[in-house]
Amino acid sequence: MSSKRQNLYPLFLTIFLLLVLGSFASPRKSIRSRRPCKELVFYFHDIIYNGKNFKNATAAIVGAPAWGNHTILANNNHFGNIVVFDDPITLDNNLHSPPVGRAQGFYIYDKKEIFTAWLGFSFVFNSTAHKGSINFAGADPLMNKTRDISVIGGTGDFFMTRGVATIMTDSFEGEVYFRLRVDIKFYECW
Amino acid sequence: MSSKRQNLYPLFLTIFLLLVLGSFASPRKSIRSRRPCKELVFYFHDIIYNGKNFKNATAAIVGAPAWGNHTILANNNHFGNIVVFDDPITLDNNLHSPPVGRAQGFYIYDKKEIFTAWLGFSFVFNSTAHKGSINFAGADPLMNKTRDISVIGGTGDFFMTRGVATIMTDSFEGEVYFRLRVDIKFYECW
Amino acid sequence: MSSKRQNLYPLFLTIFLLLVLGSFASPRKSIRSRRPCKELVFYFHDIIYNGKNFKNATAAIVGAPAWGNHTILANNNHFGNIVVFDDPITLDNNLHSPPVGRAQGFYIYDKKEIFTAWLGFSFVFNSTAHKGSINFAGADPLMNKTRDISVIGGTGDFFMTRGVATIMTDSFEGEVYFRLRVDIKFYECW
């Protein structure tokens, strides 16, 4: 009988320690892992104001180098142009699909020799599917097929998220319209 | 006697394993939780240069769309205006209270149809109460009563922090002065 | 015999629990600690376009206050000037050393009374030593000997990193050339 009781010790101990382990694990409600905890794909559509398309334009040149102006993108690979945008976000690659949110922020062309830019912007959602914002920053060497930028934070449904967004130029027409595909991989979810 | 010694095994084991658990837990000195680990409320005060108020101005228009200039905020909801600021931070809503730091950075009006902006700025402190900086980025749909942006990092007393800041327009006078209330909730503290 | 088997229980239990512990610890491959998990030191070199040095220039004024222009940095401590840059990164303080990457982004002078700026930029690497990007944001009170800004994210070799970068003005010549030393300390590595 006494021997039988002793046999149960390891079992009780195991249960106790698993409970302890559980309590250590539980305050960390957020997830951090190398496998994305969430993934989203969107398209957004940029129509740059060129002096003639005010009604349709979603973006405008607001900074330029000494050799540029605010109506036409500057020579030397647009080096020095700052563009502000408020672009519709869609779920597919059709400009005329119902927008699910807005991509708002700016890019700066930052190199004389080739096209490359720096991006600071947010995805802003206010629908039944998504409420809140995702904030992005990073270099966009836009001649590369894919470019990675950082998801630096989020609010609402995207509270405190971090991750990496892969951008692809899906299509463009001259220097007025271009469409970007963004594959957002979150590695920190809350 | 031998049976008595056996009884102590589970106890030793428990102590040993708790030590192991402790060593796993201790390298993680930082806190991550859904309840704020720190909360701060500040006000800051923006006085935009309008051609006549250089001495008092804390902000200036430095980018504009083709239809704008650098002295008056542009038509179409200021779409395209970039404003740089160095605003006093106060603990209450009085512009003339002793500043406890400076809010420094920029905002860009980024939509034709309504007032909305994108913010990139820092709170810079150098007093006995706070030393260091808090860095912010995010969309500011400024017609909404409250807007959430991201705390993307910090230095000094705010080393490596992350969080969410809720912004409210506390007051404004015409298009020259406005005062923002910022409720900063940190969810990652170190 | 029965007594001998019982003696092994604690051992099995220990092994089992260490395995459990291991499985709890392993999904968290990322490191977070107060001691840097990685440290890197670089220099970068900024040559501002002044109307005469187009070939060598790596930066250009692209925003200015009402009292400024895009060729000469403005009065009042350059308050309101936005400068876009694509600067070579080197391992030592020699402008002519082979660049190991590019520092790309912008700074904005943001105070009337003294020199101070706000920075948003990336280090972009594409060599055998480093591939990927590091994204930075923060206030740069450039009259201070050292200034701390935030590492807000990274991609490639710097996937999901966070940290603090300490900037020092290593040298400058008039208002055209300056060289910064950046000591990057990562506190979150993946």
Side-chain angles (χ1 to χ4, degrees):
Chain A
M1 171 90 188
S2 150
S3 154
K4 219 175 170 181
R5 263 174 70 196
Q6 266 186 34
N7 270 338
L8 291 174
Y9 261 111
L11 182 65
F12 288 146
L13 189 57
T14 308
I15 289 164
F16 167 70
L17 282 167
L18 285 175
L19 287 173
V20 168
L21 275 165
S23 72
F24 267 87
S26 69
R28 196 150 112 44
K29 282 151 205 156
S30 60
I31 298 168
R32 284 162 66 89
S33 80
R34 282 221 157 240
R35 267 191 30 223
C37 40
K38 195 195 307 219
E39 188 170 353
L40 294 169
V41 176
F42 294 108
Y43 293 81
F44 68 98
H45 308 262
D46 202 59
I47 303 171
I48 304 176
Y49 176 70
N50 66 357
K52 290 173 283 183
N53 61 349
F54 180 80
K55 204 166 164 260
N56 292 328
T58 64
I61 304 170
V62 300
W67 59 88
N69 63 61
H70 292 197
T71 310
I72 300 167
L73 289 164
N75 288 335
N76 303 303
N77 294 292
H78 314 338
F79 178 52
N81 277 134
I82 308 178
V83 177
V84 174
F85 60 90
D86 165 45
D87 293 348
I89 302 171
T90 58
L91 294 177
D92 61 18
N93 66 2
N94 187 340
L95 168 62
H96 303 293
S97 294
V100 297
R102 306 297 294 188
Q104 300 180 326
F106 71 100
Y107 50 89
I108 309 191
Y109 288 97
D110 57 14
K111 197 177 178 76
K112 285 185 302 185
E113 293 80 11
I114 56 162
F115 288 118
T116 182
W118 199 86
L119 294 169
F121 67 100
S122 303
F123 274 9
V124 181
F125 299 99
N126 189 15
S127 70
T128 44
H130 303 294
K131 276 193 206 318
S133 65
I134 310 171
N135 300 317
F136 303 85
D140 179 10
L142 44 89
M143 299 312 285
N144 295 2
K145 192 164 187 293
T146 66
R147 300 87 75 177
D148 283 351
I149 63 171
S150 291
V151 174
I152 58 175
T155 67
D157 290 353
F158 308 98
F159 176 77
M160 290 290 289
T161 47
R162 289 184 73 229
V164 172
T166 303
I167 295 178
M168 276 165 274
T169 305
D170 191 57
S171 173
F172 63 95
E173 284 169 30
E175 304 219 308
V176 168
Y177 173 74
F178 63 89
R179 180 171 69 226
L180 298 177
R181 185 185 194 273
V182 187
D183 184 341
I184 309 171
K185 292 196 175 79
F186 298 95
Y187 298 96
E188 292 192 32
C189 299
W190 283 65
Chain B
M1 173 91 188
S2 151
S3 154
K4 220 175 173 182
R5 264 175 68 195
Q6 266 188 30
N7 270 338
L8 291 174
Y9 261 113
L11 181 66
F12 288 145
L13 188 58
T14 307
I15 289 164
F16 166 71
L17 282 166
L18 285 174
L19 288 174
V20 169
L21 274 165
S23 72
F24 267 87
S26 69
R28 196 151 112 46
K29 281 151 204 155
S30 59
I31 298 168
R32 283 163 68 88
S33 80
R34 282 222 159 237
R35 266 190 32 220
C37 41
K38 195 194 307 220
E39 186 170 353
L40 294 169
V41 176
F42 294 108
Y43 293 81
F44 68 98
H45 308 262
D46 203 57
I47 303 171
I48 304 176
Y49 176 70
N50 65 358
K52 291 173 282 183
N53 60 351
F54 181 80
K55 202 163 167 263
N56 292 329
T58 64
I61 303 170
V62 301
W67 59 88
N69 63 61
H70 291 197
T71 310
I72 300 168
L73 289 165
N75 288 335
N76 304 305
N77 295 293
H78 313 338
F79 178 52
N81 277 133
I82 308 178
V83 177
V84 174
F85 60 90
D86 164 45
D87 292 348
I89 301 170
T90 58
L91 294 177
D92 61 19
N93 66 2
N94 186 341
L95 169 61
H96 302 292
S97 292
V100 297
R102 306 297 292 190
Q104 300 180 326
F106 70 99
Y107 50 88
I108 309 190
Y109 288 96
D110 56 15
K111 196 177 179 76
K112 284 184 304 185
E113 293 80 9
I114 56 161
F115 288 119
T116 182
W118 200 86
L119 295 168
F121 68 99
S122 303
F123 275 10
V124 181
F125 299 100
N126 189 15
S127 71
T128 44
H130 303 293
K131 276 194 207 316
S133 64
I134 310 171
N135 299 319
F136 303 85
D140 180 10
L142 44 87
M143 299 312 285
N144 295 3
K145 192 163 187 292
T146 65
R147 299 87 75 178
D148 283 350
I149 62 171
S150 292
V151 174
I152 58 175
T155 67
D157 291 353
F158 307 98
F159 175 78
M160 290 290 289
T161 47
R162 289 183 74 229
V164 172
T166 302
I167 296 177
M168 275 165 273
T169 305
D170 192 57
S171 174
F172 64 94
E173 286 171 26
E175 305 221 306
V176 169
Y177 172 74
F178 64 87
R179 179 171 69 227
L180 297 178
R181 183 184 194 275
V182 187
D183 183 341
I184 310 170
K185 291 198 176 78
F186 298 94
Y187 298 97
E188 291 193 32
C189 300
W190 284 64
Chain C
M1 174 90 185
S2 151
S3 155
K4 223 177 170 180
R5 262 175 70 196
Q6 266 187 33
N7 270 339
L8 290 175
Y9 261 114
L11 182 64
F12 288 145
L13 189 57
T14 307
I15 290 165
F16 166 71
L17 282 166
L18 285 176
L19 288 174
V20 169
L21 274 166
S23 73
F24 267 87
S26 69
R28 195 150 116 41
K29 280 151 204 156
S30 60
I31 297 169
R32 283 163 68 89
S33 79
R34 281 223 158 239
R35 267 189 32 221
C37 41
K38 195 195 307 220
E39 187 170 353
L40 294 169
V41 176
F42 295 108
Y43 293 80
F44 68 98
H45 307 261
D46 201 59
I47 303 171
I48 303 176
Y49 176 70
N50 66 357
K52 292 174 281 185
N53 61 349
F54 181 80
K55 203 164 167 262
N56 292 329
T58 65
I61 303 169
V62 300
W67 59 88
N69 63 61
H70 292 196
T71 310
I72 300 168
L73 289 165
N75 289 336
N76 303 305
N77 294 292
H78 313 338
F79 178 53
N81 277 134
I82 308 178
V83 177
V84 173
F85 60 91
D86 165 45
D87 293 347
I89 301 171
T90 58
L91 294 177
D92 61 19
N93 66 3
N94 187 340
L95 169 61
H96 302 292
S97 294
V100 298
R102 307 297 291 191
Q104 300 181 326
F106 71 99
Y107 49 90
I108 308 190
Y109 288 97
D110 57 15
K111 197 176 177 76
K112 285 184 304 186
E113 293 79 10
I114 56 162
F115 288 119
T116 182
W118 200 86
L119 296 168
F121 68 101
S122 303
F123 275 11
V124 180
F125 299 99
N126 189 15
S127 70
T128 44
H130 303 294
K131 276 195 207 315
S133 64
I134 309 171
N135 299 319
F136 303 86
D140 180 10
L142 44 88
M143 300 310 285
N144 295 3
K145 193 164 187 291
T146 65
R147 296 88 74 180
D148 283 351
I149 61 171
S150 292
V151 175
I152 57 175
T155 66
D157 292 353
F158 307 99
F159 175 78
M160 290 290 290
T161 47
R162 289 183 74 229
V164 172
T166 302
I167 296 178
M168 274 166 274
T169 305
D170 192 56
S171 174
F172 62 94
E173 286 170 25
E175 304 219 307
V176 169
Y177 173 74
F178 63 89
R179 180 170 70 225
L180 297 177
R181 184 184 194 275
V182 187
D183 184 341
I184 309 170
K185 292 198 176 78
F186 298 94
Y187 298 96
E188 291 193 31
C189 299
W190 284 64

